[in-house]
Amino acid sequence: SQQGEEDPQALSIQEGENATMNCSYKTSINNLQWYRQNSGRGLVHLILIRSNEREKHSGRLRVTLDTSKKSSSLLITASRAADTASYFCATDAAQGAQKLVFGQGTRLTINP
Amino acid sequence: DAMVIQNPRYQVTQFGKPVTLSCSQTLNHNVMYWYQQKSSQAPKLLFHYYDKDFNNEADTPDNFQSRRPNTSFCFLDIRSPGLGDAAMYLCATSGTRKGYNEQFFGPGTRLTVL
């Protein structure tokens, strides 16, 4: 069953603007992760936020987690053309299985 | 550099002709995964190995099999590819450090079925 749902499905902004993507999930989690996928390539891990954390930063990335609402957001500040990619959230079950369930992804386009 | 390698990057096969995709890793990770990803969709887990223990997803068709002869290598066998099996196949690995199970992906193999 689908764990993560993301919105928007597609987002197009101008270079330099901030991009925000949201992810919702259904069950308890250990952590939530965000991945980037450039067209035709594998996924690249961006950031992991644990269930007891509320906010995390990494460079131009800011991730928030609200476990009461079962939702997370990824903010990319000062976007660049190279940020054009699909972004997926992924959650693991709190039972500790070594599996991730990916959301449907947000396709981000940065226009120069 | 430690990495996950997939070969070939592009594979063309004929309907019903068995095909094998390979994955190798230099990360010495315990867990290896195979995902299927179709256009504009999320990666879908087919199965994973925790060391030598094979874990199949309930909805993975019997047509898909996997082998892990050693820590470094893992293979995906599609016994009789159908047109619906055309997709990107992604291999990933992860360690078992508790609470930090980020996955490291290979570049993928794009499978075309004629």
Side-chain angles (χ1 to χ4, degrees):
Chain A
S1 62
Q2 188 63 44
Q3 168 75 314
E5 298 291 337
E6 296 181 63
D7 82 274
Q9 290 188 341
L11 179 62
S12 181
I13 61 174
Q14 294 300 119
E15 196 167 18
E17 294 179 340
N18 296 341
T20 300
M21 291 158 271
N22 302 295
C23 169
S24 60
Y25 57 93
K26 297 175 183 175
T27 63
S28 297
I29 60 172
N30 280 322
N31 62 59
L32 185 144
Q33 304 176 36
W34 286 89
Y35 289 80
R36 183 187 73 227
Q37 184 178 34
N38 290 87
S39 181
R41 307 286 297 181
L43 281 75
V44 175
H45 179 260
L46 293 176
I47 195 166
L48 180 153
I49 185 166
R50 300 175 75 178
S51 59
N52 62 355
E53 297 176 313
R54 291 298 165 257
E55 188 171 313
K56 203 162 184 179
H57 297 254
S58 177
R60 293 183 297 113
L61 305 180
R62 173 177 169 254
V63 169
T64 62
L65 179 65
D66 187 336
T67 52
S68 67
K69 295 181 180 178
K70 292 187 168 58
S71 67
S72 174
S73 67
L74 171 67
L75 168 67
I76 304 174
T77 61
S79 63
R80 304 169 182 169
D83 295 329
T84 294
S86 292
Y87 291 82
F88 294 91
C89 68
T91 54
D92 70 335
Q95 296 93 326
Q98 290 287 328
K99 301 193 298 186
L100 296 177
V101 178
F102 287 84
Q104 288 299 312
T106 293
R107 174 68 190 169
L108 176 64
T109 302
I110 308 299
N111 301 303
Chain B
D1 288 342
M3 58 177 61
V4 181
I5 302 163
Q6 289 189 246
N7 287 304
R9 293 292 313 281
Y10 300 91
Q11 176 74 55
V12 180
T13 191
Q14 292 183 333
F15 183 95
K17 184 175 181 180
V19 66
T20 295
L21 310 181
S22 72
C23 177
S24 63
Q25 54 131 341
T26 60
L27 297 161
N28 202 33
H29 281 166
N30 298 79
V31 192
M32 295 187 77
Y33 308 82
W34 279 105
Y35 291 88
Q36 180 192 66
Q37 186 181 29
K38 297 190 175 180
S39 182
S40 301
Q41 295 185 18
K44 178 181 179 299
L45 182 64
L46 296 173
F47 24 61
H48 73 281
Y49 275 94
Y50 190 127
D51 293 325
K52 293 185 177 181
D53 292 334
F54 178 70
N55 299 272
N56 197 31
E57 293 301 298
D59 58 354
T60 297
D62 292 341
N63 197 27
F64 292 86
Q65 304 286 319
S66 186
R67 297 170 282 135
R68 189 179 186 184
N70 54 52
T71 300
S72 301
F73 285 87
C74 195
F75 300 97
L76 169 62
D77 301 308
I78 308 177
R79 293 192 294 187
S80 181
L83 297 179
D85 296 327
M88 175 76 89
Y89 289 88
L90 297 166
C91 174
T93 72
S94 73
T96 52
R97 188 167 56 131
K98 189 175 180 180
Y100 293 92
N101 56 348
E102 59 265 41
Q103 295 186 11
F104 296 80
F105 283 79
T109 294
R110 183 165 296 282
L111 178 68
T112 300
V113 181
L114 301 176

